[in-house]
Amino acid sequence: MSSPSSKATAAGGGLIVKSSLIDPDGGSLVELVVPASERESRRLEAAKLPTANMSAIDLQWVHVISEGWASPLRGFMREQEYLHSLHFNSLRLEDGSVVNMSLPIVLDIDDREKEAIGTSSDVGLVGPDGDLVGVLRKVEIYKHNKEERIARTWGTTAPGLPYVEEVITPAGDWLIGGDLEVFEPVKYNDGLDHYRLSPKELRKEFDLRQADAVFAFQLRNPVHNGHALLMNDTRRRLLEMGFKNPILLLHPLGGFTKADDVPLAVRMEQHSKVLVDGVLDPETTIVSIFPSPMHYAGPTEVQWHAKARINAGANFYIVGRDPAGMGHPTEKKDLYDPDHGKKVLSMAPGLEKLNILPFRVAAYDTLEKKMAFFDPSRAKDFLFISGTKMRTYARSGENPPDGFMCPRGWKVLVKYYESLQAEETNSSPKPVTA
Amino acid sequence: MSSPSSKATAAGGGLIVKSSLIDPDGGSLVELVVPASERESRRLEAAKLPTANMSAIDLQWVHVISEGWASPLRGFMREQEYLHSLHFNSLRLEDGSVVNMSLPIVLDIDDREKEAIGTSSDVGLVGPDGDLVGVLRKVEIYKHNKEERIARTWGTTAPGLPYVEEVITPAGDWLIGGDLEVFEPVKYNDGLDHYRLSPKELRKEFDLRQADAVFAFQLRNPVHNGHALLMNDTRRRLLEMGFKNPILLLHPLGGFTKADDVPLAVRMEQHSKVLVDGVLDPETTIVSIFPSPMHYAGPTEVQWHAKARINAGANFYIVGRDPAGMGHPTEKKDLYDPDHGKKVLSMAPGLEKLNILPFRVAAYDTLEKKMAFFDPSRAKDFLFISGTKMRTYARSGENPPDGFMCPRGWKVLVKYYESLQAEETNSSPKPVTA
């Protein structure tokens, strides 16, 4: 797994995407958790079914599906949905309307599981701890062509793609789709569950705060002042557009990330300091965790990131340079053209009603000693601080230039890198099922 | 380049696709050949422009674009169209409507050409013989990410894909898009130009014959009696549906094909014998050449094959097993799931109005001694004769089972394989420009 190289920060070259598609599924989000009164009977029934084993990352997807982030998807994809997603990045509903669905959300099984399932219509889902967490109903089993899935999703089959190595290469040769039922809301017991608001809970929170605009910011890195500039400038522009109470959804990704990304717990602590230090206004900001695993699939994945936040009630979506991108795993270059993410997002089926506001690139202004929008007339005064560079500063204990990040936020990072032992740190939180 | 292995003939498991989209571009096909009166002045003007060199296959694409097969596309793709095609297999028009466009139709240039073009808005197009054949106007130059293009188009990056090896690997690192103008209709002077009817000419022919339904059959192989069964049965069904005069467009692909496919001239001779032998009815059949190069990109390419024929006035499209498929170039299996072609076609954006009639698989009935629809209740009586098997018969001079192909058609194939020398035969006809 290579580290992203010579990449400017995510704050660069952003755009805002606007949507009026608050209710993509006719106003009702798919939620697939069994009512408490029926749990016991469903568990008893499910105990008799053949089963499919799930990894921690599969369970993260169960979390995602069960709360309606992927609504109108009602479970792991059957072949029709899989092909639609793989070839067209979308699903077509029975009424002919098209919704965006750029990533295949699928569950694999191996030959042994397939044989045990036989012709059973329903299958019990067993979590990584051995607990029965739900049922997949009216299942369909079809071939898992890994090579084609990887090529069409990532636009490369080069070895070293983090999600591929972690999830797809070790996966079974079959996919199983069906309607999902989950016995209980998925929890992680890692001290961060209070950050994990479902789309429904987020919508309630936006109503409570009387938001008339919600702008979401997806990230998987610490917040530096370039990000903050972008978010605060978005708010300013929304106010200028006539909105009275725009609310920022600061929405770090909480599922699987690659080993050299900063772990979720550290990022959440860092984000909280950014609010304490007043870089972002706590009055108009909601910090919550987006439970999806990360694919690092660039222009294909950014559509998923936008679509899921629209499901949660966001109507503006901020996109930076090279969203969901990384370094090419085997060559010294970015895997994706850094501009393709926003271009592809702007043409994505099912997201047609999004409006786009272009951003200038943010960089460190060495004269003003702060992150600022890049001014090409005095290019030499600006410093692009890449993610790699930021990690190098933090690892070495060296301070970045003044004004790059709020001091308390920076301290969190330094502490984390000091604590890092030689062993690899698993950055993916593990959902618990008991 | 590997030969396709253990593949049943294209007649198996077909379906018919019906369309009412006769006029995908608001009734007017894009045609991009300069009127004769203006040719001289345009040539003189173009002689002053910087140029891009084209291969014989590039010129096949010029042919395709200039006659409106890819309408509403007006030239080689600019980046917006390229990304739309690559990610979503479609283009979105200014009025918001979506048309199918599953293959990127692009022209590459190298660093030297890019530098010579500089900021010129217009570029002369030079054919493989060194002649100026047209102009690309309001050009846009963008990066040619070959790996991503290959992965997203074929669903694999395995070495040995014929179109990749022939066209993409040797191509330049840039793509150039723009509006196409061609000075004269593209001709090949190979004795087959009378078969190369443009979409406009085909429509006229259908009108002349007073067709009330046109069903197209795409192929790149000799016609055997399984194909014929499928075509004749389609006609029968159309008559049953109430059509009075269904016309068959037997539409062999005439552009680049892989080295072990039967060359176009041999196929055309074979097709003519099939009509002489009365296997297909000349009264209700039009044989014409489809000028597109072949990608062998399975479910992605079959959409292009259907879309182009709809542009030519066909309203029913017949799809067999594994359309546009081939053997995996490095593994002993089909590159694509043989059922994915028809499934993906049935969900393709821009082709929503197509209706599908499922076909049973055709195979050789050893009891009846003819090609027939497979009857699973007496499976042991049926013989699946793959393309590879057919070639083996013809190469060895051995006759296939009686009733597999009409005798005169078979003779053409045997003669061809006898004539084959040790050297590779180039099966791609070369358009001429002078």
Side-chain angles (χ1 to χ4, degrees):
Chain A
M1 218 177 284
S2 88
S3 58
S5 59
S6 67
K7 188 113 71 83
T9 59
L15 56 82
I16 306 178
V17 167
K18 180 190 178 182
S19 169
S20 53
L21 293 169
I22 307 254
D23 293 313
D25 190 28
S28 63
L29 271 176
V30 166
E31 286 195 281
L32 304 162
V33 180
V34 171
S37 59
E38 296 179 29
R39 269 173 207 164
E40 207 41 43
S41 63
R42 299 283 182 99
R43 273 191 210 276
L44 283 171
E45 182 215 333
K48 299 170 200 157
L49 295 174
T51 55
N53 290 317
M54 300 193 301
S55 69
I57 294 174
D58 293 332
L59 194 52
Q60 290 171 1
W61 281 118
V62 165
H63 184 179
V64 165
I65 301 166
S66 67
E67 289 185 344
W69 297 97
S71 184
L73 194 71
R74 304 191 63 86
F76 287 106
M77 290 179 174
R78 297 189 180 91
E79 193 181 38
Q80 179 83 2
E81 294 160 326
Y82 171 72
L83 289 175
H84 221 127
S85 168
L86 199 63
H87 285 271
F88 309 118
N89 286 197
S90 60
L91 299 182
R92 198 190 307 153
L93 307 186
E94 275 181 20
D95 66 5
S97 63
V98 169
V99 297
N100 192 267
M101 193 68 68
S102 62
L103 295 182
I105 300 181
V106 289
L107 181 64
D108 70 284
I109 54 174
D110 60 23
D111 292 351
R112 200 187 42 74
E113 287 170 312
K114 177 173 184 286
E115 199 180 330
I117 291 165
T119 59
S120 178
S121 158
D122 298 345
V123 170
L125 298 175
V126 175
D129 297 330
D131 304 302
L132 204 56
V133 299
V135 176
L136 216 50
R137 298 212 183 267
K138 296 184 216 147
V139 301
E140 181 185 291
I141 296 176
Y142 54 103
K143 273 181 226 150
H144 188 190
N145 185 332
K146 298 179 186 183
E147 181 188 42
E148 184 176 17
R149 177 183 172 195
I150 295 164
R152 295 196 193 277
T153 303
W154 279 271
T156 177
T157 58
L161 296 167
Y163 191 88
V164 170
E165 302 229 315
E166 183 73 22
V167 176
I168 300 183
T169 304
D173 288 335
W174 305 93
L175 297 175
I176 183 166
D179 293 342
L180 178 68
E181 276 178 22
V182 185
F183 299 140
E184 292 190 43
V186 176
K187 296 293 172 201
Y188 298 70
N189 294 347
D190 59 354
L192 301 174
D193 280 331
H194 62 288
Y195 278 123
R196 293 189 175 91
L197 302 185
S198 72
K200 198 171 169 187
E201 289 166 337
L202 281 171
R203 288 177 183 220
K204 266 193 201 149
E205 185 66 29
F206 300 144
D207 283 349
L208 212 64
R209 297 225 195 174
Q210 298 186 298
D212 60 353
V214 175
F215 57 115
F217 192 74
Q218 141 77 26
L219 74 173
R220 60 167 215 270
N221 280 310
V223 173
H224 59 58
N225 290 345
H227 301 127
L229 173 67
L230 221 146
M231 291 186 261
N232 287 325
D233 196 62
T234 302
R235 179 174 162 78
R236 184 188 60 73
R237 291 163 80 179
L238 291 172
L239 290 169
E240 273 178 19
M241 284 165 73
F243 293 100
K244 301 297 175 208
N245 189 25
I247 295 289
L248 165 63
L249 172 61
L250 183 66
H251 212 198
L253 179 136
F256 166 78
T257 51
K258 59 192 167 67
D260 66 346
D261 277 355
V262 178
L264 181 65
V266 179
R267 286 186 277 133
M268 295 313 292
E269 195 186 345
Q270 195 270 350
H271 298 344
S272 74
K273 301 302 183 200
V274 169
L275 272 80
V276 169
D277 272 3
V279 175
L280 294 173
D281 180 1
E283 285 297 307
T284 58
T285 304
I286 294 172
V287 185
S288 182
I289 291 174
F290 175 49
S292 172
M294 188 77 200
H295 270 57
Y296 304 92
T300 301
E301 185 166 26
V302 70
Q303 300 169 61
W304 160 244
H305 286 174
K307 180 240 157 64
R309 273 50 177 257
I310 291 167
N311 276 18
N315 48 359
F316 289 81
Y317 185 75
I318 304 175
V319 184
R321 180 185 175 279
D322 197 15
M326 55 173 268
H328 193 288
T330 59
E331 296 171 41
K332 273 263 172 209
K333 61 175 189 181
D334 286 338
L335 181 50
Y336 302 105
D337 183 314
D339 292 328
H340 280 188
K342 69 180 95 164
K343 286 179 182 171
V344 169
L345 186 61
S346 73
M347 59 178 78
L351 304 176
E352 286 86 355
K353 291 182 187 169
L354 302 177
N355 292 316
I356 290 165
L357 298 173
F359 257 107
R360 280 171 295 153
V361 179
Y364 186 75
D365 184 340
T366 55
L367 287 189
E368 300 284 335
K369 297 201 183 308
K370 62 176 189 183
M371 295 299 284
F373 289 120
F374 178 67
D375 177 356
S377 74
R378 49 185 191 87
K380 65 169 178 34
D381 300 337
F382 285 85
L383 190 64
F384 286 86
I385 301 176
S386 68
T388 307
K389 182 82 184 157
M390 186 182 76
R391 279 190 285 270
T392 309
Y393 282 133
R395 272 197 196 100
S396 66
E398 190 186 346
N399 279 330
D402 270 2
F404 172 71
M405 188 183 285
C406 66
R408 272 180 272 208
W410 184 251
K411 224 166 153 181
V412 173
L413 290 191
V414 172
K415 200 179 70 185
Y416 163 65
Y417 280 105
E418 280 174 358
S419 77
L420 262 193
Q421 306 298 325
E423 73 255 14
E424 281 288 284
T425 302
N426 182 356
S427 64
S428 177
K430 200 176 161 194
V432 291
T433 54
Chain B
M1 216 178 287
S2 88
S3 59
S5 60
S6 67
K7 186 117 70 87
T9 58
L15 56 82
I16 306 179
V17 167
K18 180 188 177 182
S19 169
S20 53
L21 292 169
I22 306 253
D23 293 312
D25 190 28
S28 63
L29 271 176
V30 166
E31 286 194 283
L32 304 163
V33 180
V34 171
S37 60
E38 295 179 28
R39 269 172 208 163
E40 207 41 44
S41 62
R42 300 284 182 98
R43 272 190 210 278
L44 284 171
E45 182 215 333
K48 298 169 199 158
L49 295 174
T51 55
N53 291 317
M54 299 193 301
S55 68
I57 294 175
D58 293 332
L59 194 52
Q60 290 171 1
W61 282 118
V62 165
H63 184 180
V64 166
I65 301 166
S66 66
E67 289 186 342
W69 298 97
S71 185
L73 194 71
R74 304 191 63 86
F76 287 106
M77 290 178 175
R78 298 189 180 89
E79 192 181 38
Q80 180 82 4
E81 293 161 326
Y82 172 72
L83 289 175
H84 221 127
S85 168
L86 200 63
H87 285 272
F88 309 117
N89 285 198
S90 60
L91 299 182
R92 198 191 306 153
L93 307 187
E94 275 181 21
D95 66 4
S97 63
V98 169
V99 296
N100 192 267
M101 192 67 70
S102 62
L103 295 183
I105 300 181
V106 290
L107 181 64
D108 70 285
I109 54 174
D110 60 23
D111 292 350
R112 200 187 44 73
E113 287 170 311
K114 177 174 185 283
E115 200 180 329
I117 290 165
T119 60
S120 179
S121 158
D122 298 345
V123 171
L125 298 176
V126 176
D129 297 330
D131 304 303
L132 204 56
V133 299
V135 176
L136 216 50
R137 298 210 183 269
K138 295 184 215 146
V139 301
E140 182 185 290
I141 296 175
Y142 54 102
K143 273 181 226 149
H144 188 190
N145 185 333
K146 299 179 186 183
E147 181 189 41
E148 184 177 16
R149 177 182 171 195
I150 296 163
R152 296 196 192 278
T153 303
W154 280 272
T156 177
T157 59
L161 297 167
Y163 191 89
V164 170
E165 302 228 317
E166 183 73 21
V167 176
I168 301 183
T169 305
D173 288 334
W174 305 93
L175 297 175
I176 183 166
D179 294 343
L180 178 68
E181 276 178 22
V182 184
F183 298 141
E184 292 189 43
V186 176
K187 297 292 171 200
Y188 298 70
N189 295 346
D190 58 354
L192 301 174
D193 279 332
H194 63 287
Y195 278 123
R196 292 190 177 90
L197 303 185
S198 72
K200 199 171 165 186
E201 289 166 336
L202 281 172
R203 287 177 183 219
K204 267 193 201 148
E205 186 66 30
F206 301 144
D207 283 349
L208 213 64
R209 300 225 195 173
Q210 298 186 298
D212 60 353
V214 175
F215 58 114
F217 191 74
Q218 140 78 27
L219 75 173
R220 59 166 217 272
N221 279 311
V223 173
H224 59 60
N225 290 345
H227 300 129
L229 174 67
L230 221 147
M231 290 186 263
N232 287 326
D233 197 61
T234 302
R235 179 175 161 79
R236 184 187 60 72
R237 291 163 80 180
L238 291 173
L239 289 169
E240 274 178 18
M241 284 164 72
F243 292 101
K244 300 296 174 210
N245 188 25
I247 296 289
L248 164 63
L249 172 61
L250 182 66
H251 213 199
L253 180 136
F256 166 79
T257 51
K258 58 192 168 66
D260 66 347
D261 277 355
V262 178
L264 180 64
V266 179
R267 285 186 278 132
M268 295 313 292
E269 194 187 344
Q270 194 269 350
H271 297 345
S272 73
K273 301 302 183 200
V274 168
L275 271 80
V276 169
D277 272 2
V279 175
L280 294 173
D281 179 0
E283 285 297 307
T284 57
T285 302
I286 294 173
V287 185
S288 181
I289 291 175
F290 176 48
S292 172
M294 188 77 199
H295 271 57
Y296 305 92
T300 301
E301 185 167 25
V302 70
Q303 301 169 62
W304 160 245
H305 286 174
K307 181 239 157 63
R309 273 50 176 258
I310 291 168
N311 277 17
N315 48 359
F316 290 80
Y317 185 76
I318 305 175
V319 184
R321 181 184 176 280
D322 198 14
M326 54 174 268
H328 193 288
T330 60
E331 296 171 42
K332 273 260 172 214
K333 61 175 188 180
D334 286 337
L335 181 50
Y336 302 106
D337 183 313
D339 291 328
H340 279 188
K342 70 181 95 164
K343 286 179 183 172
V344 168
L345 186 61
S346 74
M347 58 178 79
L351 303 177
E352 286 86 355
K353 291 182 187 168
L354 302 176
N355 293 316
I356 291 165
L357 298 173
F359 258 106
R360 279 170 296 152
V361 179
Y364 186 76
D365 184 340
T366 55
L367 286 189
E368 301 283 335
K369 295 200 184 308
K370 64 175 188 182
M371 295 298 285
F373 289 118
F374 179 68
D375 177 356
S377 74
R378 49 185 191 89
K380 64 169 178 33
D381 300 336
F382 286 85
L383 190 64
F384 285 86
I385 301 176
S386 68
T388 306
K389 181 83 183 156
M390 185 181 76
R391 279 189 287 269
T392 308
Y393 282 134
R395 272 199 197 97
S396 66
E398 189 187 346
N399 279 330
D402 269 1
F404 172 71
M405 188 182 287
C406 65
R408 271 179 273 209
W410 183 250
K411 223 167 155 180
V412 173
L413 290 191
V414 172
K415 198 180 69 182
Y416 163 64
Y417 280 105
E418 280 174 359
S419 77
L420 262 193
Q421 306 299 324
E423 74 257 11
E424 281 288 283
T425 302
N426 181 356
S427 64
S428 177
K430 199 174 160 196
V432 291
T433 55

